[in-house]
Amino acid sequence: MDRACRERLARIVVLCLAAQALAQTAGPVFPDPGRPSMSRDEQRSLGLQAAAQVYKQMPVLPDSSPETQYIRQLGEKLVATIPPQHSWPFEFHVVAQKEINAFALPGGPMFVNIGTITAADNEAELAGVMAHEMSHVYMQHSAKQAGKEQTTGMLAGLAAAVLGGATGSGMAGQLGQMGIQFGAQSLMLKYSRTDESQADAVGAVILYQAGYNPQALADFFKKLESQGGQPPQFLSDHPNPGNRELAIQKEIREWPPKDFIGDSPAFAKVRHQAMGVKAYNAQEIAQGAKSGQWASLNQKNGATFNPGGAAAHPVSASPTAGAASPHISPVPLQSVLPTRRMVAADIGPVRMNHPDNWQVAMPQQQGQFATIAPQAGISGDGVGYGVLLNGVAPSNGGRMSIDDVTGQIVQSMEKHNGVHPLGNAQAITVSGIQARSVMLQ
């Protein structure tokens, strides 16, 4: 072999070795979560409404409890690993339930059972459960279960109630399409085996990037599966995709080694505290949900649902710039839900049916909105639960497109009600009629 050939061979060997070293040191990356038909604002809205129901149907620890404070600190550490463009406003809460379970709702609200804290052997295992649940939100699995038709049906639900149709079941039906159900068994979420595989993979990435050994995720699932008797609710909601432990091990095999976080004194302390917390089993929680026990207990203990950044917004005709939003105290859901009995009312140029327990308030001056709302849903000039109605008159008898009408109404709400749109108007159908929907804040 001549010298030139030997030099070329040496360069090839060096390049191969460099490529091999690069493959061995390439760290894990987050996958593209995709883009379901349901928008981020719609997912967030549904998740917040479902989270508010959790506080009515389950015993939740107050935000000031040591367990909740610890879970929030751990959760924030995991959230910090997620690329900002794909992250969500995650919130963390603790349920006083003995059984092992955790769930994350669309848009970020997440709940961890006391039983999960006490069942974990170390902080990495607990972080693994939380990372797995956060991955369902990251991949938008619930939103992908709900098609565009179901999404628009949900958004039209309240309008249909005012027009004489549904009485609030649209929201429950839409949550059901997303695999979120409420009832005698409190809250249930259902995921497919494909969803579980993706949540395992993304959860492993979150753990690794946060400094925890991703193997802890597989260890926790293996421990649950080895338990005798009836499997934990967590496994019922999260079916084994098959060879879960081997799949996770294969996923992380080529990732660069690092010094993972070891024992955590904070975890040991909170785990010990959690063992002394008054907790309830699933049957007790189901019974308490029927009687309204948890809504009362949570309010008494100061466990109220206050999503981060959420606030009531004034809807007065002429809001004062920078004025504080009216304070609206929590009210029972039954006091604001529409009844099945409908009555007719003349509202401007139209005659409209509305639930008989919702009152009609006509505007005092041009540009203001007519209001149809239950008394409990109104506080001062603020409407927390109800319907605002307005219209647009074409100038000089001309015609306007539905998009032009929507644009003018949104502009009027920005001017008179102090709100602003969160995105562009989306096409929907209400009772077979073309319409538009836009999220406002």
PDB file of all heavy atoms in Angstrom, residues 59 61 95-99 113-115 118 274-282 284-285 294:
ATOM      1  N   PRO A  59     -60.796  15.269  47.516  1.00  0.00           N
ATOM      2  CA  PRO A  59     -60.161  16.063  48.576  1.00  0.00           C
ATOM      3  C   PRO A  59     -58.773  16.521  48.137  1.00  0.00           C
ATOM      4  O   PRO A  59     -57.900  15.695  47.850  1.00  0.00           O
ATOM      5  CB  PRO A  59     -60.088  15.077  49.751  1.00  0.00           C
ATOM      6  CG  PRO A  59     -60.012  13.732  49.105  1.00  0.00           C
ATOM      7  CD  PRO A  59     -60.817  13.830  47.844  1.00  0.00           C
ATOM      8  N   LEU A  61     -55.324  18.959  48.860  1.00  0.00           N
ATOM      9  CA  LEU A  61     -54.588  19.662  49.904  1.00  0.00           C
ATOM     10  C   LEU A  61     -54.425  21.134  49.529  1.00  0.00           C
ATOM     11  O   LEU A  61     -54.296  21.472  48.343  1.00  0.00           O
ATOM     12  CB  LEU A  61     -53.205  19.036  50.103  1.00  0.00           C
ATOM     13  CG  LEU A  61     -53.159  17.569  50.543  1.00  0.00           C
ATOM     14  CD1 LEU A  61     -51.720  17.156  50.844  1.00  0.00           C
ATOM     15  CD2 LEU A  61     -54.034  17.322  51.758  1.00  0.00           C
ATOM     16  N   VAL A  95     -53.691  15.389  45.820  1.00  0.00           N
ATOM     17  CA  VAL A  95     -54.980  14.836  46.228  1.00  0.00           C
ATOM     18  C   VAL A  95     -54.770  13.925  47.435  1.00  0.00           C
ATOM     19  O   VAL A  95     -53.857  13.089  47.437  1.00  0.00           O
ATOM     20  CB  VAL A  95     -55.631  14.037  45.073  1.00  0.00           C
ATOM     21  CG1 VAL A  95     -56.968  13.444  45.518  1.00  0.00           C
ATOM     22  CG2 VAL A  95     -55.824  14.932  43.857  1.00  0.00           C
ATOM     23  N   ALA A  96     -55.612  14.073  48.432  1.00  0.00           N
ATOM     24  CA  ALA A  96     -55.498  13.248  49.645  1.00  0.00           C
ATOM     25  C   ALA A  96     -56.157  11.895  49.419  1.00  0.00           C
ATOM     26  O   ALA A  96     -57.171  11.560  50.030  1.00  0.00           O
ATOM     27  CB  ALA A  96     -56.133  13.972  50.827  1.00  0.00           C
ATOM     28  N   GLN A  97     -55.583  11.129  48.525  1.00  0.00           N
ATOM     29  CA  GLN A  97     -56.103   9.804  48.201  1.00  0.00           C
ATOM     30  C   GLN A  97     -55.026   8.760  48.431  1.00  0.00           C
ATOM     31  O   GLN A  97     -53.850   8.954  48.081  1.00  0.00           O
ATOM     32  CB  GLN A  97     -56.593   9.731  46.752  1.00  0.00           C
ATOM     33  CG  GLN A  97     -57.176   8.365  46.379  1.00  0.00           C
ATOM     34  CD  GLN A  97     -57.893   8.375  45.051  1.00  0.00           C
ATOM     35  OE1 GLN A  97     -58.141   9.434  44.472  1.00  0.00           O
ATOM     36  NE2 GLN A  97     -58.259   7.202  44.548  1.00  0.00           N
ATOM     37  N   LYS A  98     -55.428   7.610  49.030  1.00  0.00           N
ATOM     38  CA  LYS A  98     -54.474   6.577  49.399  1.00  0.00           C
ATOM     39  C   LYS A  98     -53.917   5.840  48.187  1.00  0.00           C
ATOM     40  O   LYS A  98     -52.743   5.436  48.175  1.00  0.00           O
ATOM     41  CB  LYS A  98     -55.140   5.568  50.338  1.00  0.00           C
ATOM     42  CG  LYS A  98     -55.572   6.149  51.676  1.00  0.00           C
ATOM     43  CD  LYS A  98     -56.288   5.106  52.524  1.00  0.00           C
ATOM     44  CE  LYS A  98     -56.728   5.687  53.861  1.00  0.00           C
ATOM     45  NZ  LYS A  98     -57.444   4.663  54.680  1.00  0.00           N
ATOM     46  N   GLU A  99     -54.758   5.628  47.172  1.00  0.00           N
ATOM     47  CA  GLU A  99     -54.328   4.846  46.014  1.00  0.00           C
ATOM     48  C   GLU A  99     -53.236   5.562  45.219  1.00  0.00           C
ATOM     49  O   GLU A  99     -53.142   6.792  45.223  1.00  0.00           O
ATOM     50  CB  GLU A  99     -55.512   4.535  45.105  1.00  0.00           C
ATOM     51  CG  GLU A  99     -56.435   3.457  45.615  1.00  0.00           C
ATOM     52  CD  GLU A  99     -57.456   3.981  46.606  1.00  0.00           C
ATOM     53  OE1 GLU A  99     -57.479   5.207  46.838  1.00  0.00           O
ATOM     54  OE2 GLU A  99     -58.226   3.171  47.149  1.00  0.00           O
ATOM     55  N   ASN A 113     -51.516  11.971  43.745  1.00  0.00           N
ATOM     56  CA  ASN A 113     -52.083  11.408  44.970  1.00  0.00           C
ATOM     57  C   ASN A 113     -51.032  11.297  46.072  1.00  0.00           C
ATOM     58  O   ASN A 113     -49.860  11.026  45.788  1.00  0.00           O
ATOM     59  CB  ASN A 113     -52.659  10.022  44.704  1.00  0.00           C
ATOM     60  CG  ASN A 113     -54.007  10.067  44.009  1.00  0.00           C
ATOM     61  OD1 ASN A 113     -54.467  11.126  43.594  1.00  0.00           O
ATOM     62  ND2 ASN A 113     -54.641   8.921  43.872  1.00  0.00           N
ATOM     63  N   ILE A 114     -51.486  11.449  47.313  1.00  0.00           N
ATOM     64  CA  ILE A 114     -50.613  11.200  48.460  1.00  0.00           C
ATOM     65  C   ILE A 114     -50.028   9.786  48.376  1.00  0.00           C
ATOM     66  O   ILE A 114     -48.851   9.559  48.696  1.00  0.00           O
ATOM     67  CB  ILE A 114     -51.410  11.377  49.775  1.00  0.00           C
ATOM     68  CG1 ILE A 114     -51.498  12.853  50.143  1.00  0.00           C
ATOM     69  CG2 ILE A 114     -50.781  10.605  50.921  1.00  0.00           C
ATOM     70  CD1 ILE A 114     -50.203  13.462  50.650  1.00  0.00           C
ATOM     71  N   GLY A 115     -50.841   8.828  47.935  1.00  0.00           N
ATOM     72  CA  GLY A 115     -50.384   7.451  47.827  1.00  0.00           C
ATOM     73  C   GLY A 115     -49.217   7.275  46.881  1.00  0.00           C
ATOM     74  O   GLY A 115     -48.410   6.349  47.048  1.00  0.00           O
ATOM     75  N   THR A 118     -45.988   8.382  48.864  1.00  0.00           N
ATOM     76  CA  THR A 118     -45.531   7.394  49.839  1.00  0.00           C
ATOM     77  C   THR A 118     -45.082   6.093  49.185  1.00  0.00           C
ATOM     78  O   THR A 118     -44.291   5.345  49.765  1.00  0.00           O
ATOM     79  CB  THR A 118     -46.650   7.093  50.856  1.00  0.00           C
ATOM     80  OG1 THR A 118     -47.816   6.628  50.161  1.00  0.00           O
ATOM     81  CG2 THR A 118     -47.008   8.341  51.645  1.00  0.00           C
ATOM     82  N   ALA A 274     -46.070  12.906  54.455  1.00  0.00           N
ATOM     83  CA  ALA A 274     -47.234  12.443  53.702  1.00  0.00           C
ATOM     84  C   ALA A 274     -47.885  11.227  54.352  1.00  0.00           C
ATOM     85  O   ALA A 274     -49.101  11.029  54.254  1.00  0.00           O
ATOM     86  CB  ALA A 274     -46.831  12.112  52.268  1.00  0.00           C
ATOM     87  N   MET A 275     -47.092  10.422  55.014  1.00  0.00           N
ATOM     88  CA  MET A 275     -47.638   9.240  55.675  1.00  0.00           C
ATOM     89  C   MET A 275     -48.573   9.603  56.820  1.00  0.00           C
ATOM     90  O   MET A 275     -49.420   8.796  57.222  1.00  0.00           O
ATOM     91  CB  MET A 275     -46.488   8.364  56.197  1.00  0.00           C
ATOM     92  CG  MET A 275     -45.680   7.707  55.102  1.00  0.00           C
ATOM     93  SD  MET A 275     -44.325   6.700  55.772  1.00  0.00           S
ATOM     94  CE  MET A 275     -43.615   6.023  54.254  1.00  0.00           C
ATOM     95  N   GLY A 276     -48.455  10.819  57.332  1.00  0.00           N
ATOM     96  CA  GLY A 276     -49.317  11.254  58.422  1.00  0.00           C
ATOM     97  C   GLY A 276     -50.511  12.069  57.971  1.00  0.00           C
ATOM     98  O   GLY A 276     -51.309  12.513  58.804  1.00  0.00           O
ATOM     99  N   VAL A 277     -50.666  12.273  56.663  1.00  0.00           N
ATOM    100  CA  VAL A 277     -51.778  13.063  56.139  1.00  0.00           C
ATOM    101  C   VAL A 277     -53.053  12.214  56.115  1.00  0.00           C
ATOM    102  O   VAL A 277     -53.029  11.050  55.727  1.00  0.00           O
ATOM    103  CB  VAL A 277     -51.461  13.577  54.720  1.00  0.00           C
ATOM    104  CG1 VAL A 277     -52.689  14.220  54.076  1.00  0.00           C
ATOM    105  CG2 VAL A 277     -50.325  14.590  54.766  1.00  0.00           C
ATOM    106  N   LYS A 278     -54.158  12.785  56.526  1.00  0.00           N
ATOM    107  CA  LYS A 278     -55.451  12.118  56.453  1.00  0.00           C
ATOM    108  C   LYS A 278     -55.813  11.921  54.990  1.00  0.00           C
ATOM    109  O   LYS A 278     -56.003  12.879  54.241  1.00  0.00           O
ATOM    110  CB  LYS A 278     -56.516  12.953  57.152  1.00  0.00           C
ATOM    111  CG  LYS A 278     -57.946  12.465  56.978  1.00  0.00           C
ATOM    112  CD  LYS A 278     -58.162  11.072  57.550  1.00  0.00           C
ATOM    113  CE  LYS A 278     -59.628  10.663  57.454  1.00  0.00           C
ATOM    114  NZ  LYS A 278     -59.849   9.270  57.907  1.00  0.00           N
ATOM    115  N   ALA A 279     -55.876  10.656  54.564  1.00  0.00           N
ATOM    116  CA  ALA A 279     -56.157  10.338  53.165  1.00  0.00           C
ATOM    117  C   ALA A 279     -57.351   9.395  53.097  1.00  0.00           C
ATOM    118  O   ALA A 279     -57.704   8.726  54.074  1.00  0.00           O
ATOM    119  CB  ALA A 279     -54.930   9.718  52.498  1.00  0.00           C
ATOM    120  N   TYR A 280     -57.958   9.324  51.926  1.00  0.00           N
ATOM    121  CA  TYR A 280     -59.185   8.551  51.732  1.00  0.00           C
ATOM    122  C   TYR A 280     -58.984   7.576  50.574  1.00  0.00           C
ATOM    123  O   TYR A 280     -58.210   7.825  49.643  1.00  0.00           O
ATOM    124  CB  TYR A 280     -60.358   9.489  51.432  1.00  0.00           C
ATOM    125  CG  TYR A 280     -60.525  10.589  52.446  1.00  0.00           C
ATOM    126  CD1 TYR A 280     -59.772  11.762  52.360  1.00  0.00           C
ATOM    127  CD2 TYR A 280     -61.414  10.468  53.503  1.00  0.00           C
ATOM    128  CE1 TYR A 280     -59.915  12.781  53.295  1.00  0.00           C
ATOM    129  CE2 TYR A 280     -61.564  11.474  54.444  1.00  0.00           C
ATOM    130  CZ  TYR A 280     -60.810  12.631  54.333  1.00  0.00           C
ATOM    131  OH  TYR A 280     -60.937  13.627  55.260  1.00  0.00           O
ATOM    132  N   ASN A 281     -59.731   6.461  50.618  1.00  0.00           N
ATOM    133  CA  ASN A 281     -59.644   5.514  49.515  1.00  0.00           C
ATOM    134  C   ASN A 281     -60.631   5.903  48.414  1.00  0.00           C
ATOM    135  O   ASN A 281     -61.464   6.810  48.582  1.00  0.00           O
ATOM    136  CB  ASN A 281     -59.868   4.075  49.993  1.00  0.00           C
ATOM    137  CG  ASN A 281     -61.244   3.870  50.620  1.00  0.00           C
ATOM    138  OD1 ASN A 281     -62.231   4.436  50.179  1.00  0.00           O
ATOM    139  ND2 ASN A 281     -61.298   3.038  51.653  1.00  0.00           N
ATOM    140  N   ALA A 282     -60.559   5.191  47.311  1.00  0.00           N
ATOM    141  CA  ALA A 282     -61.363   5.551  46.143  1.00  0.00           C
ATOM    142  C   ALA A 282     -62.854   5.467  46.422  1.00  0.00           C
ATOM    143  O   ALA A 282     -63.638   6.319  45.962  1.00  0.00           O
ATOM    144  CB  ALA A 282     -60.992   4.641  44.977  1.00  0.00           C
ATOM    145  N   GLU A 284     -64.393   5.881  49.339  1.00  0.00           N
ATOM    146  CA  GLU A 284     -64.777   7.010  50.181  1.00  0.00           C
ATOM    147  C   GLU A 284     -64.868   8.294  49.371  1.00  0.00           C
ATOM    148  O   GLU A 284     -65.758   9.129  49.585  1.00  0.00           O
ATOM    149  CB  GLU A 284     -63.762   7.175  51.318  1.00  0.00           C
ATOM    150  CG  GLU A 284     -63.789   6.054  52.341  1.00  0.00           C
ATOM    151  CD  GLU A 284     -62.647   6.146  53.339  1.00  0.00           C
ATOM    152  OE1 GLU A 284     -61.541   6.588  52.940  1.00  0.00           O
ATOM    153  OE2 GLU A 284     -62.862   5.778  54.511  1.00  0.00           O
ATOM    154  N   ILE A 285     -63.945   8.451  48.440  1.00  0.00           N
ATOM    155  CA  ILE A 285     -63.942   9.663  47.619  1.00  0.00           C
ATOM    156  C   ILE A 285     -65.158   9.692  46.703  1.00  0.00           C
ATOM    157  O   ILE A 285     -65.788  10.741  46.511  1.00  0.00           O
ATOM    158  CB  ILE A 285     -62.630   9.754  46.814  1.00  0.00           C
ATOM    159  CG1 ILE A 285     -61.468  10.060  47.772  1.00  0.00           C
ATOM    160  CG2 ILE A 285     -62.727  10.829  45.742  1.00  0.00           C
ATOM    161  CD1 ILE A 285     -60.113  10.097  47.115  1.00  0.00           C
ATOM    162  N   TRP A 294     -66.485  16.985  49.503  1.00  0.00           N
ATOM    163  CA  TRP A 294     -65.139  17.495  49.204  1.00  0.00           C
ATOM    164  C   TRP A 294     -65.151  18.975  48.870  1.00  0.00           C
ATOM    165  O   TRP A 294     -64.215  19.697  49.236  1.00  0.00           O
ATOM    166  CB  TRP A 294     -64.517  16.691  48.072  1.00  0.00           C
ATOM    167  CG  TRP A 294     -64.584  15.210  48.325  1.00  0.00           C
ATOM    168  CD1 TRP A 294     -65.086  14.245  47.504  1.00  0.00           C
ATOM    169  CD2 TRP A 294     -64.154  14.517  49.513  1.00  0.00           C
ATOM    170  NE1 TRP A 294     -65.003  13.012  48.093  1.00  0.00           N
ATOM    171  CE2 TRP A 294     -64.429  13.144  49.318  1.00  0.00           C
ATOM    172  CE3 TRP A 294     -63.568  14.927  50.709  1.00  0.00           C
ATOM    173  CZ2 TRP A 294     -64.138  12.185  50.291  1.00  0.00           C
ATOM    174  CZ3 TRP A 294     -63.279  13.982  51.672  1.00  0.00           C
ATOM    175  CH2 TRP A 294     -63.559  12.625  51.467  1.00  0.00           C
TER     176      TRP A 294
END
